[in-house]
Amino acid sequence: MVDTNMEPIPSEVDEAFEILLEEIEEVVNKHFDALASAGSERNITDAKQILERAEKLSDYRQKVSAIRKEWRTLQIVSVEPPATPKQPQPKPQQPTPSGRLARGQRTPEEAFYLAILDSLVEMGGSGPIAAVIDRVHEKMKSRLKEPDLQLLKSTNMPRWRNTAMWARNNLKEEKLMKSDSPFGIWAITEAGKAWAKLEHDKKV
């Protein structure tokens, strides 16, 4: 079960996972762009091959996400190093010239879970993707960082929107969102409603 109370472990490993996930997302997005081109050219054979690869890459991305989740559950013992003179804090990293994500910069996808489920509850349980995403943005905009607002070259959409789309995939895997909703529609499950209520009860 997803846990939004768990803050990302401030380690190089966790940051590396975040970068790896975005790199895989970029490849998946490029495959779907290629799929659209193949479909418009009526090249059915190429379209099938691209779709198969995109689906395999999406599955692989989910496996990497699951491994990261497992990493975060490990009970890592913190050993205090000997006291050393206080050093000046390094400046936050800036996005790389290629537009790729630098370490620890984007808002993680689990931060979007409750915003997505709350939006669906408010909409009666389901709604068109664009309408749901608009509500999610209203709920999340005060938490978004500068890198979240940057446009991704592969999709020409803001990074936060891409992250929210992948967050939805994880919610489907956890059975908190329906996997059989009509095309273009996001829908919450009863388990999703119960999870969202539990998260709000924790804050009371």
Side-chain angles (χ1 to χ4, degrees), residues 157-198:
M157 72 168 62
R159 178 175 274 116
W160 71 265
R161 188 183 180 99
N162 184 67
T163 306
M165 293 288 189
W166 285 103
R168 182 252 185 172
N169 276 14
N170 284 347
L171 289 170
K172 287 197 304 178
E173 290 290 321
E174 296 284 351
K175 312 299 183 186
L176 301 182
M177 285 181 65
K178 295 180 180 180
S179 58
D180 59 351
S181 54
F183 180 76
I185 300 295
W186 286 5
I188 193 172
T189 63
E190 291 303 315
K193 293 177 183 177
W195 183 85
K197 182 178 184 304
L198 181 61

Coordinates of all heavy atoms in Angstrom, one line a residue, residues 157-198:
M157 N 5.1 18.9 -22.4 CA 4.2 19.1 -21.3 C 5.0 19.4 -20.1 O 6.2 19.0 -20.0 CB 3.3 17.9 -21.0 CG 4.0 16.7 -20.4 SD 2.8 15.4 -19.8 CE 2.0 14.9 -21.3
P158 N 4.4 20.1 -19.1 CA 5.2 20.4 -17.9 C 5.6 19.1 -17.2 O 4.9 18.1 -17.2 CB 4.2 21.2 -17.0 CG 3.2 21.7 -17.9 CD 3.1 20.7 -19.0
R159 N 6.8 19.1 -16.5 CA 7.3 17.9 -15.9 C 6.3 17.4 -14.8 O 6.1 16.2 -14.7 CB 8.6 18.2 -15.2 CG 9.2 17.0 -14.5 CD 10.6 17.3 -14.0 NE 11.6 17.0 -15.0 CZ 12.4 17.9 -15.5 NH1 12.3 19.2 -15.2 NH2 13.3 17.6 -16.5
W160 N 5.6 18.3 -14.1 CA 4.7 17.9 -13.0 C 3.5 17.1 -13.6 O 3.1 16.1 -13.0 CB 4.1 19.0 -12.2 CG 3.1 19.9 -13.0 CD1 3.4 21.0 -13.7 CD2 1.7 19.7 -13.1 NE1 2.2 21.5 -14.3 CE2 1.2 20.7 -13.9 CE3 0.9 18.7 -12.7 CZ2 -0.1 20.8 -14.3 CZ3 -0.5 18.7 -13.0 CH2 -1.0 19.8 -13.8
R161 N 3.1 17.5 -14.8 CA 2.0 16.7 -15.5 C 2.4 15.3 -15.8 O 1.6 14.4 -15.6 CB 1.5 17.5 -16.7 CG 0.2 17.0 -17.3 CD -0.1 17.8 -18.6 NE -1.3 17.3 -19.2 CZ -2.5 17.8 -19.0 NH1 -2.7 18.9 -18.3 NH2 -3.6 17.3 -19.6
N162 N 3.6 15.2 -16.4 CA 4.1 13.9 -16.7 C 4.2 13.0 -15.4 O 3.9 11.8 -15.5 CB 5.5 14.0 -17.3 CG 6.1 12.7 -17.8 OD1 5.6 12.1 -18.7 ND2 7.2 12.3 -17.2
T163 N 4.7 13.6 -14.3 CA 4.8 12.9 -13.1 C 3.4 12.4 -12.6 O 3.3 11.3 -12.1 CB 5.5 13.8 -12.0 OG1 6.7 14.3 -12.5 CG2 5.7 13.0 -10.7
A164 N 2.4 13.3 -12.7 CA 1.1 12.9 -12.3 C 0.5 11.8 -13.1 O -0.2 10.9 -12.6 CB 0.2 14.1 -12.4
M165 N 0.9 11.7 -14.4 CA 0.4 10.6 -15.3 C 1.0 9.3 -14.8 O 0.3 8.3 -14.7 CB 0.8 10.9 -16.7 CG 0.1 12.1 -17.4 SD -1.6 11.7 -17.7 CE -2.0 13.2 -18.7
W166 N 2.3 9.3 -14.4 CA 2.9 8.1 -13.9 C 2.4 7.7 -12.5 O 2.3 6.6 -12.2 CB 4.4 8.2 -14.0 CG 5.0 8.1 -15.4 CD1 5.4 9.1 -16.2 CD2 5.1 6.9 -16.1 NE1 5.8 8.7 -17.4 CE2 5.7 7.3 -17.4 CE3 4.9 5.6 -15.9 CZ2 5.9 6.4 -18.4 CZ3 5.1 4.7 -16.9 CH2 5.6 5.0 -18.1
A167 N 2.1 8.8 -11.8 CA 1.5 8.5 -10.4 C 0.2 7.7 -10.6 O -0.1 6.8 -9.8 CB 1.3 9.8 -9.7
R168 N -0.6 8.0 -11.6 CA -1.8 7.3 -11.9 C -1.6 5.9 -12.2 O -2.3 5.0 -11.7 CB -2.5 8.0 -13.0 CG -3.9 7.4 -13.4 CD -3.8 6.6 -14.7 NE -5.2 6.1 -15.1 CZ -5.4 5.5 -16.2 NH1 -4.4 5.4 -17.1 NH2 -6.6 5.1 -16.5
N169 N -0.5 5.6 -12.9 CA -0.1 4.2 -13.2 C 0.1 3.4 -11.9 O -0.3 2.3 -11.7 CB 1.1 4.1 -14.0 CG 0.8 4.2 -15.5 OD1 -0.3 4.6 -15.9 ND2 1.8 3.9 -16.3
N170 N 0.8 4.0 -10.9 CA 1.1 3.4 -9.6 C -0.2 3.1 -8.9 O -0.4 2.1 -8.2 CB 2.1 4.2 -8.8 CG 3.5 4.0 -9.3 OD1 3.8 3.1 -10.1 ND2 4.4 4.9 -8.9
L171 N -1.1 4.1 -8.9 CA -2.4 4.0 -8.2 C -3.2 2.8 -8.8 O -3.9 2.2 -8.1 CB -3.2 5.3 -8.3 CG -2.6 6.5 -7.5 CD1 -3.3 7.8 -7.8 CD2 -2.7 6.2 -6.0
K172 N -3.1 2.6 -10.1 CA -3.8 1.5 -10.7 C -3.2 0.2 -10.2 O -3.9 -0.8 -9.9 CB -3.7 1.6 -12.3 CG -4.6 2.6 -12.9 CD -4.8 2.3 -14.4 CE -3.5 2.3 -15.1 NZ -3.6 2.0 -16.5
E173 N -1.8 0.1 -10.2 CA -1.2 -1.1 -9.7 C -1.6 -1.4 -8.3 O -1.7 -2.6 -7.9 CB 0.4 -0.8 -9.7 CG 1.0 -0.8 -11.1 CD 0.9 -2.1 -11.8 OE1 1.2 -3.1 -11.1 OE2 0.7 -2.2 -13.1
E174 N -1.8 -0.4 -7.5 CA -2.2 -0.6 -6.1 C -3.7 -0.8 -5.9 O -4.2 -0.9 -4.8 CB -1.8 0.7 -5.2 CG -0.3 0.9 -5.1 CD 0.4 -0.1 -4.2 OE1 -0.3 -0.8 -3.5 OE2 1.6 -0.1 -4.2
K175 N -4.4 -0.8 -7.0 CA -5.9 -1.0 -7.0 C -6.7 0.1 -6.4 O -7.8 0.0 -6.0 CB -6.3 -2.3 -6.3 CG -5.5 -3.6 -6.7 CD -5.6 -3.9 -8.2 CE -4.9 -5.2 -8.6 NZ -4.9 -5.4 -10.0
L176 N -6.0 1.3 -6.4 CA -6.7 2.5 -5.8 C -7.4 3.3 -6.9 O -8.2 4.1 -6.6 CB -5.7 3.4 -5.1 CG -4.9 2.7 -3.9 CD1 -4.0 3.7 -3.3 CD2 -5.9 2.1 -2.9
M177 N -7.1 3.0 -8.2 CA -7.8 3.5 -9.3 C -8.1 2.4 -10.2 O -7.4 1.3 -10.3 CB -6.9 4.6 -10.1 CG -6.9 5.9 -9.3 SD -5.9 7.1 -10.2 CE -6.9 7.3 -11.7
K178 N -9.2 2.5 -11.0 CA -9.7 1.5 -11.9 C -8.8 1.4 -13.1 O -8.3 2.4 -13.7 CB -11.1 1.8 -12.3 CG -12.1 1.7 -11.2 CD -13.5 2.0 -11.7 CE -14.5 1.9 -10.5 NZ -15.9 2.2 -11.0
S179 N -8.5 0.1 -13.5 CA -7.7 -0.1 -14.7 C -8.6 -0.4 -15.9 O -8.1 -0.5 -17.0 CB -6.8 -1.4 -14.4 OG -7.6 -2.5 -14.1
D180 N -9.9 -0.5 -15.7 CA -10.8 -0.8 -16.8 C -11.7 0.4 -17.1 O -12.8 0.2 -17.7 CB -11.6 -2.0 -16.5 CG -12.4 -1.9 -15.2 OD1 -12.3 -0.9 -14.5 OD2 -13.3 -2.8 -15.0
S181 N -11.4 1.6 -16.7 CA -12.2 2.8 -16.9 C -12.2 3.1 -18.4 O -11.2 2.7 -19.1 CB -11.8 4.0 -16.1 OG -10.4 4.2 -16.3
P182 N -13.2 3.7 -19.0 CA -13.2 4.0 -20.4 C -12.0 4.9 -20.8 O -11.5 5.6 -20.0 CB -14.6 4.8 -20.6 CG -15.4 4.4 -19.4 CD -14.5 4.1 -18.3
F183 N -11.7 4.8 -22.1 CA -10.5 5.6 -22.6 C -10.7 7.1 -22.3 O -11.8 7.6 -22.6 CB -10.4 5.3 -24.1 CG -9.2 6.1 -24.7 CD1 -7.9 5.6 -24.5 CD2 -9.5 7.3 -25.4 CE1 -6.9 6.3 -25.1 CE2 -8.4 7.9 -26.0 CZ -7.1 7.5 -25.8
G184 N -9.7 7.7 -21.8 CA -9.7 9.1 -21.5 C -10.4 9.5 -20.2 O -10.5 10.7 -19.9
I185 N -10.8 8.5 -19.4 CA -11.4 8.7 -18.1 C -10.6 8.1 -17.0 O -10.1 6.9 -17.1 CB -12.8 8.1 -18.1 CG1 -13.7 8.7 -19.2 CG2 -13.5 8.2 -16.7 CD1 -14.0 10.1 -19.0
W186 N -10.4 8.8 -15.9 CA -9.8 8.3 -14.7 C -10.9 8.0 -13.7 O -11.8 8.8 -13.6 CB -8.8 9.3 -14.1 CG -7.5 9.3 -14.9 CD1 -7.2 8.7 -16.1 CD2 -6.4 10.1 -14.5 NE1 -5.9 9.0 -16.4 CE2 -5.4 9.9 -15.5 CE3 -6.0 10.9 -13.5 CZ2 -4.1 10.5 -15.5 CZ3 -4.8 11.5 -13.4 CH2 -3.8 11.3 -14.4
A187 N -10.8 6.9 -13.0 CA -11.8 6.5 -12.0 C -11.2 5.9 -10.8 O -10.2 5.2 -10.8 CB -12.8 5.6 -12.6
I188 N -11.8 6.3 -9.6 CA -11.3 5.8 -8.3 C -12.0 4.5 -8.0 O -13.1 4.3 -8.4 CB -11.5 6.9 -7.2 CG1 -10.7 6.5 -6.0 CG2 -12.9 7.1 -6.9 CD1 -10.7 7.7 -4.9
T189 N -11.4 3.6 -7.2 CA -12.0 2.4 -6.7 C -12.5 2.7 -5.2 O -12.2 3.7 -4.6 CB -11.0 1.3 -6.7 OG1 -9.9 1.6 -5.8 CG2 -10.5 1.0 -8.1
E190 N -13.2 1.7 -4.7 CA -13.7 1.9 -3.3 C -12.4 1.8 -2.4 O -12.4 2.5 -1.3 CB -14.6 0.7 -2.9 CG -16.0 0.8 -3.6 CD -16.7 2.2 -3.3 OE1 -16.7 2.6 -2.1 OE2 -17.2 2.8 -4.2
A191 N -11.5 1.0 -2.8 CA -10.2 1.0 -2.0 C -9.5 2.3 -2.0 O -8.9 2.7 -1.0 CB -9.3 -0.1 -2.5
G192 N -9.6 3.0 -3.1 CA -9.0 4.3 -3.3 C -9.7 5.3 -2.4 O -9.0 6.2 -1.7
K193 N -11.0 5.3 -2.3 CA -11.7 6.2 -1.4 C -11.4 5.9 0.0 O -11.2 6.9 0.8 CB -13.2 6.0 -1.6 CG -13.7 6.4 -3.0 CD -15.2 6.1 -3.2 CE -15.7 6.4 -4.6 NZ -17.2 6.1 -4.7
A194 N -11.3 4.7 0.4 CA -10.9 4.3 1.8 C -9.5 4.8 2.1 O -9.3 5.3 3.2 CB -11.1 2.8 2.0
W195 N -8.6 4.6 1.2 CA -7.2 5.0 1.4 C -7.1 6.5 1.6 O -6.4 7.0 2.5 CB -6.3 4.6 0.3 CG -4.9 4.9 0.5 CD1 -4.0 4.2 1.2 CD2 -4.2 6.1 0.1 NE1 -2.7 4.8 1.2 CE2 -2.9 6.0 0.5 CE3 -4.6 7.2 -0.7 CZ2 -1.9 6.9 0.2 CZ3 -3.6 8.1 -1.0 CH2 -2.3 8.0 -0.5
A196 N -7.8 7.3 0.8 CA -7.8 8.7 0.8 C -8.4 9.2 2.2 O -7.9 10.1 2.8 CB -8.6 9.4 -0.3
K197 N -9.5 8.6 2.6 CA -10.1 8.9 3.9 C -9.1 8.7 5.0 O -9.0 9.5 6.0 CB -11.4 8.2 4.1 CG -12.1 8.5 5.4 CD -13.4 7.8 5.5 CE -14.2 8.2 6.7 NZ -13.4 8.1 8.0
L198 N -8.4 7.5 5.0 CA -7.5 7.2 6.0 C -6.4 8.2 6.1 O -6.0 8.6 7.2 CB -6.9 5.8 5.7 CG -5.9 5.2 6.7 CD1 -6.5 5.1 8.1 CD2 -5.3 3.9 6.3

